[in-house]
Amino acid sequence: MSHNTFGHLFRVTTFGESHGPAIGCVVDGCPPLIPLSEAEIQRDLDKRRPGQSRYTTQRQEPDQVRIISGVFAREVDGEQVTTGTSIGLLIDNVDQRSKDYSEIKDKYRPGHADFTYDVKYGIRDYRGGGRSSARETAMRVAAGAIARKVVPGMVVRGALVQMGPHKIDRGNWDWDEVGNNPFFCPDAKAAERFADYLDGIRKSGSSIGAVLEVVAEGVPAGLGAPIYGKLDAEIAAALMSINAVKGVEIGDGFGAAELSGEENADEMRAGNDGKPLFLSNHAGGILGGISTGQPIVARFAVKPTSSILSPRATVNRTGGETEMFTKGRHDPCVGIRAVPVGEAMIACVLADQYLRHRAQVGVIEPRWPFES
Ligand SMILES: Cc1cc2nc3c(=O)[nH]c(=O)nc-3n(C[C@H](O)[C@H](O)[C@H](O)COP(=O)(O)O)c2cc1C
């Protein structure tokens, strides 16, 4: 199966299945001499780890990462830094219960990739979804932890802004709240509503979708490229490649369709710091596929978890009609654990574009304001 790699210069290749012995990735193209410890990567992985609250699957995976190549302790102070060679990361799968798979082996779970993998390859690893399982996204998070360090001063943060029909009040947005509730929600009041709402969904064995927002600050102007290397196109593709994602918006996104040209114009004034001052950010920090220096803002919609308790109609491998439901452990809202995954994907795209920018413009950095 091809397409296990993304990125051009900052290049991430993942491998492994949900119920195989391990999952892992190779990050190639990371510049040398960047301090990098397992603890830093682990910090991001712990945000995605299952079983941390009653609102995520009770599957117990410690997701303990090991760096197996690409780092070395530098002589001067003993600090572990990247060497510029490929960085190998590995996580052992420790909760792959050996159970009876006869129930799902020949039946296609609606909303899952069972039918499509079978119809494309003629074979599929049906244990926990195999390669199509979101377990793979742990390696994206691990790679993202490295990517964050490639762009100096960049901060990438994500939040859950809508669960089912319940939206946050953007006036209450407080990034410090994101770590205070199990939903990565920046609005403390909305988080309380989410808790009641999701308890009902969870107890009934159902599931619900969500909208997530990722904001990247400290991204220099000039990253990206015209035409086929557009930063917004690459961000959209990266977010869309996450399991269960069905929609992506940059800046005002679909909301821009309701604006007039006057409302949508991000007016510019001369700032005091030698950079233009934008009076708004409807564009989400990208114009013509190139970053403006404003925060990059992307949102994505995650569908409800497909594994639910109510039986759903389906077919089996041999063409018969049947029904399917999931007894086991599942996330009632996969959007929650997708927050760190979205952050990681955007960090990887920005690290890649940062390195490509240097290749595209060489050593001469055009500087605004220009003399003539
Ligand atoms: C972090 C995360 C965890 C997920 N966990 C589950 C799960 O427990 N049960 C489930 O049915 N789907 C889960 N999914 C979604 C499925 O992996 C995904 O819907 C399925 O592979 C089909 O792919 P598609 O929805 O991208 O088309 C999860 C997605 C993410 C991002």
Side-chain angles (χ1 to χ4, degrees):
M1 198 199 297
S2 58
H3 298 291
N4 293 292
T5 300
F6 72 97
H8 294 257
L9 295 186
F10 186 89
R11 209 165 160 74
V12 179
T13 302
T14 70
F15 59 88
E17 281 83 25
S18 166
H19 286 50
I23 52 172
C25 72
V26 174
V27 177
D28 207 357
C30 179
L33 300 173
I34 297 178
L36 182 67
S37 67
E38 278 173 0
E40 285 169 293
I41 302 176
Q42 196 62 51
R43 206 167 42 227
D44 282 6
L45 279 168
D46 286 349
K47 285 168 61 182
R48 185 207 153 277
R49 193 157 51 84
Q52 300 195 81
S53 78
R54 65 179 187 274
Y55 303 107
T56 60
T57 173
Q58 294 309 299
R59 184 176 162 148
Q60 289 301 328
E61 286 282 4
D63 282 354
Q64 200 67 47
V65 70
R66 274 185 294 150
I67 304 179
I68 55 176
S69 69
V71 292
F72 196 66
R74 70 179 162 209
E75 203 112 313
V76 57
D77 56 4
E79 181 161 27
Q80 180 168 281
V81 296
T82 57
T83 59
T85 62
S86 54
I87 302 171
L89 305 174
L90 205 62
I91 295 176
D92 290 325
N93 286 332
V94 298
D95 192 24
Q96 72 276 45
R97 293 185 183 176
S98 52
K99 59 173 192 178
D100 180 11
Y101 290 102
S102 51
E103 186 55 23
I104 59 166
K105 189 164 88 56
D106 297 319
K107 289 185 188 176
Y108 299 133
R109 296 167 302 165
H112 280 277
D114 301 348
F115 166 70
T116 48
Y117 271 47
D118 236 3
V119 82
K120 184 173 179 72
Y121 299 106
I123 181 168
R124 77 190 160 95
D125 180 345
Y126 43 77
R127 302 164 308 162
R131 184 70 180 150
S132 74
S133 161
R135 179 123 193 80
E136 185 271 345
T137 62
M139 296 326 302
R140 302 173 186 229
V141 173
I146 302 173
R148 288 174 194 273
K149 309 198 77 178
V150 170
V151 185
M154 176 176 79
V155 177
V156 183
R157 294 183 289 192
L160 191 146
V161 297
Q162 183 176 340
M163 184 185 287
H166 302 288
K167 296 182 183 176
I168 64 156
D169 176 348
R170 299 186 79 88
N172 292 343
W173 192 299
D174 178 358
W175 278 115
D176 290 337
E177 273 305 321
V178 167
N180 289 343
N181 61 74
F183 310 110
F184 300 111
C185 177
D187 171 357
K189 286 214 177 80
E192 285 170 20
R193 284 202 308 277
F194 291 171
D196 287 344
Y197 177 66
L198 199 55
D199 267 332
I201 299 273
R202 186 175 60 85
K203 284 179 189 150
S204 69
S206 186
S207 65
I208 194 69
V211 178
L212 286 57
E213 184 163 319
V214 180
V215 181
E217 287 163 301
V219 178
L223 304 197
I227 318 296
Y228 297 118
K230 283 186 166 177
L231 182 55
D232 35 2
E234 292 195 356
I235 286 175
L239 292 177
M240 201 53 130
S241 78
I242 300 171
N243 308 45
V245 173
K246 295 310 268 184
V248 178
E249 295 184 324
I250 309 285
D252 282 4
F254 278 81
E258 294 176 21
L259 299 182
S260 66
E262 292 79 9
E263 288 167 327
N264 186 59
D266 293 323
E267 294 186 87
M268 300 166 76
R269 310 305 295 162
N272 295 330
D273 55 359
K275 294 177 186 165
L277 176 70
F278 289 88
L279 304 186
S280 55
N281 188 15
H282 298 288
I286 304 171
L287 291 170
I290 298 172
S291 61
T292 61
Q294 285 194 284
I296 292 186
V297 183
R299 267 181 307 286
F300 58 106
V302 177
K303 74 185 191 185
T305 320
S306 301
S307 300
I308 47 173
L309 271 179
S310 327
R312 301 282 92 189
T314 191
V315 293
N316 63 25
R317 242 185 156 241
T318 48
E321 290 184 345
T322 180
E323 281 193 338
M324 203 61 252
F325 70 97
T326 306
K327 278 174 277 182
R329 305 157 291 174
H330 76 276
D331 285 279
C333 176
V334 290
I336 301 171
R337 290 173 57 226
V339 172
V341 185
E343 291 177 0
M345 291 309 283
I346 290 191
C348 287
V349 169
L350 289 169
D352 186 39
Q353 288 276 10
Y354 178 76
L355 298 176
R356 283 155 66 191
H357 176 66
R358 294 169 56 152
Q360 285 155 356
V361 301
V363 291
I364 301 167
E365 281 275 347
R367 289 235 177 270
W368 183 87
F370 299 104
E371 277 171 17
S372 61

